[in-house]
Amino acid sequence: METFETIITVTEDDLDQLNHVNNVRYVQWVQDVASQHWDLGATQDIKDQYFWVLVKHTIEYKLPAFLGESIRLKTYIAKTEGVISTRIVEIYNNTTSKLLVTSEANWCLISKSTNRPCRITAEIENLFT
């Protein structure tokens, strides 16, 4: 599967009272990297016709991240079936390559014209394979 990666640096705004990255921030990064991947791959015509809604999300926290650390976000589509796309996000310490977080999310494709789920087209599926 085609992957998308981006690197960020942990800032003070990312920290919780324990001085490591807040769990809520990881969830935000998962959503952000999914959106970036979609925006990079989808044409404007596709974006004008469709949007995604999250229907299920699991996240596993393995190791903490701290202020100033370089973090690598990696995402890819594991499978598509009907109206659902399963996206994996892995978050690594970019210096040590240690896995910090894994996430699996099911996203449903919605037609903007009907506001109803619609089958993932071959064109959309091929954007990420």
Side-chain angles (χ1 to χ4, degrees):
M1 292 287 166
E2 183 245 326
T3 63
F4 172 78
E5 295 186 15
T6 190
I7 295 174
I8 58 174
T9 300
V10 176
T11 68
E12 270 192 48
D13 290 338
D14 300 323
L15 304 180
D16 61 16
Q17 69 275 16
L18 301 174
N19 287 320
H20 57 62
V21 172
N22 188 307
N23 293 354
V24 174
R25 185 65 76 195
Y26 285 114
V27 173
Q28 183 65 56
W29 290 343
V30 165
Q31 181 174 320
D32 291 348
V33 74
S35 294
Q36 291 169 7
H37 192 204
W38 170 249
D39 286 342
L40 183 69
T43 65
Q44 189 59 50
D45 185 51
I46 290 172
K47 291 181 216 176
D48 289 343
Q49 294 179 60
Y50 306 102
F51 64 95
W52 295 96
V53 295
L54 185 63
V55 294
K56 181 181 178 184
H57 181 215
T58 60
I59 190 164
E60 183 177 351
Y61 304 97
K62 297 180 176 289
L63 291 170
F66 300 96
L67 182 63
E69 290 184 336
S70 176
I71 305 297
R72 181 169 45 97
L73 306 166
K74 175 183 174 182
T75 188
Y76 58 93
I77 303 300
K79 69 177 181 175
T80 57
E81 188 174 324
V83 300
I84 300 293
S85 176
T86 302
R87 176 178 290 279
I88 305 299
V89 176
E90 299 166 343
I91 301 176
Y92 295 88
N93 178 304
N94 196 44
T95 304
T96 66
S97 297
K98 289 185 178 179
L99 181 62
L100 307 176
V101 170
T102 60
S103 168
E104 181 175 313
N106 289 342
W107 294 84
C108 181
L109 187 65
I110 305 291
S111 166
K112 285 187 177 182
S113 64
T114 65
N115 268 347
R116 299 193 43 82
C118 60
R119 182 169 291 281
I120 297 167
T121 66
E123 179 183 23
I124 291 172
E125 188 172 351
N126 290 336
L127 292 174
F128 304 103
T129 56

